[in-house]
Amino acid sequence: MTDPSPVPGPVPEAGSLVLAATPIGNTEDASPRLIRLLADADVVAAEDTRRLHGLAGRLGVEVRGKVTSYHEHNETARADELLDVVAGGGTVVVVTDAGMPSVSDPGYRIVERAIERDLRVTAAPGPSAVLTALALSGLPTDRFTFEGFLPRKAGDRARTLSALAAEPRTMVFFEAPHRIAETLGAMATAFGENRPAAVARELTKTYEEVLRGPLADLAERAAAAQLRGEICVVVSGAPPVQASVDDVVGEVLDRVAQGERLKAAVAEVAEAAGVPKRDLYAAALAARPAK
C-alpha cells in the first residue's frame, strides 16, 4: 500500500514511547530511523543490553542515552518508570533481540500501560520474521493468523492444534530447533499428513533456508536434517468443507420449527453452507412433516 501524498519530514518522537524493529538477521536491514533513534533516544529499553550494544557497534552508532534492560521478567514492574520519562517529554525506545517488540517479545504490557496513561505510542517498523516467512512460504497470504509458540507439553500442544484444525486462514508459528520435528509430526496428526506447509529458518542470514511440502514430509526431513537456528512454520489453512443439501436440510427444518420463515431460513443456511438455494428449498419442502 502506498500513500501518494508527500511526507514533510520525520515524525517527532519527543514525549513518545517508540517500538523499534531491529534486524532479524541481516544487519543491513536496519532502517535509518532505527539508527537515529538509538543515537538520540533519552532511554533505550532493550531485551538484552549486551545484544543491543553489539547491534549498535555493527551499525556504527553511539547510544548516547541511558540503556536499561526490559524483558519478560521485569516488563510490568519497569513500565511506569519508563513511561515517566515519556510523560516528562522524553523519548523511550523499546527494542528486542530481533524483529518487532510485542510480537512474541516484550512490549505489549508497556503499550497497554501507556494507553492507560494517555501517552503517545508510535513505532519504527522494520523486519518481521512472521511476514518474511509468510511471504516466502508460497502459501496464501490474503488472510493469516499468527499463533506464536505452541505449548511445550505434548498433550497441551495436541489440544491446541486440534482446536486449529478447521482454521481456514494460513497459520504462522514460531518453534525452537530441538522441537521442530516433533511439532511438525504433531501438526501432521492434527491437520492431516498432506496439509501444505513451509519451514523457514535463519531468515535473512547466510544460511537462510525454506523447506516446502506436506507436513508429514517436512517432519521427516526435519528429523533427518536436525535443523538449527530461528524457525518459523507456515501452515496452509483448512480446505473449505463441501456441504451437501442433505447435510443442512435438518438445520433449516429446526429453524422453521422455532418460528423462522422457510424462505429466510433457506437463504441463510444455503449461503453459509455454499449449497444451491433452490435445491435446499425443494429438499426442505419435501422433508417437512405433513400437516
Side-chain angles (χ1 to χ4, degrees):
M1 181 175 66
T2 58
D3 184 351
S5 61
V7 179
V11 176
E13 278 122 3
S16 298
L17 173 71
V18 186
L19 305 181
T22 56
I24 59 176
N26 193 322
T27 304
E28 293 178 357
D29 292 335
S31 70
R33 187 177 174 196
L34 172 65
I35 294 171
R36 176 176 59 80
L37 284 167
L38 292 180
D40 296 345
D42 295 289
V43 178
V44 178
E47 184 178 11
D48 186 320
T49 57
R50 291 171 300 179
R51 291 196 179 190
L52 167 66
H53 287 299
L55 174 63
R58 293 192 298 276
L59 294 174
V61 60
E62 178 185 358
V63 181
R64 295 189 289 265
K66 178 183 178 182
V67 175
T68 188
S69 64
Y70 185 72
H71 46 72
E72 61 177 333
H73 301 298
N74 71 0
E75 57 177 327
T76 299
R78 188 152 289 178
D80 275 313
E81 174 188 333
L82 295 171
L83 292 175
D84 286 344
V85 176
V86 176
T91 300
V92 174
V93 174
V94 176
V95 295
T96 55
D97 293 345
M100 193 71 191
S102 84
V103 181
S104 277
D105 275 328
Y108 163 73
R109 289 179 175 84
I110 194 170
V111 170
E112 181 183 43
R113 183 66 181 130
I115 293 170
E116 291 174 353
R117 292 181 58 173
D118 196 26
L119 297 173
R120 185 172 186 269
V121 182
T122 187
S128 164
V130 175
L131 297 181
T132 303
L134 181 68
L136 296 179
S137 70
L139 298 174
T141 60
D142 54 336
R143 299 177 68 226
F144 69 93
T145 174
F146 174 57
E147 299 295 335
F149 285 95
L150 288 166
R152 297 184 181 185
K153 294 183 178 179
D156 293 338
R157 181 176 57 222
R159 282 187 287 274
T160 298
L161 291 173
S162 177
L164 292 170
E167 170 58 60
R169 296 168 293 183
T170 299
M171 296 169 281
V172 184
F173 302 84
F174 285 163
E175 191 49 281
H178 64 279
R179 291 195 298 268
I180 185 61
E182 184 179 356
T183 292
L184 289 168
M187 288 178 170
T189 299
F191 300 156
E193 295 184 350
N194 294 320
R195 180 80 71 92
V199 176
R201 72 179 192 91
E202 295 292 84
L203 291 171
T204 78
K205 299 178 184 178
T206 302
Y207 298 104
E208 175 181 289
E209 182 179 29
V210 182
L211 305 176
R212 304 175 182 88
L215 279 168
D217 178 55
L218 290 175
E220 292 180 2
R221 293 165 70 183
Q226 295 184 337
L227 301 180
R228 301 179 184 277
E230 302 288 334
I231 295 176
C232 290
V233 180
V234 186
V235 183
S236 178
V241 177
Q242 298 296 325
S244 69
V245 168
D246 291 340
D247 292 332
V248 297
V249 69
E251 181 181 349
V252 172
L253 296 178
D254 288 343
R255 293 172 69 153
V256 171
Q258 294 172 18
E260 191 170 345
R261 293 180 59 194
L262 177 60
K263 286 187 177 180
V266 166
E268 289 192 13
V269 173
E271 182 178 1
V275 299
K277 188 190 304 183
R278 179 179 299 179
D279 293 348
L280 181 57
Y281 185 79
L285 283 178
R288 291 178 75 176
K291 294 184 179 180

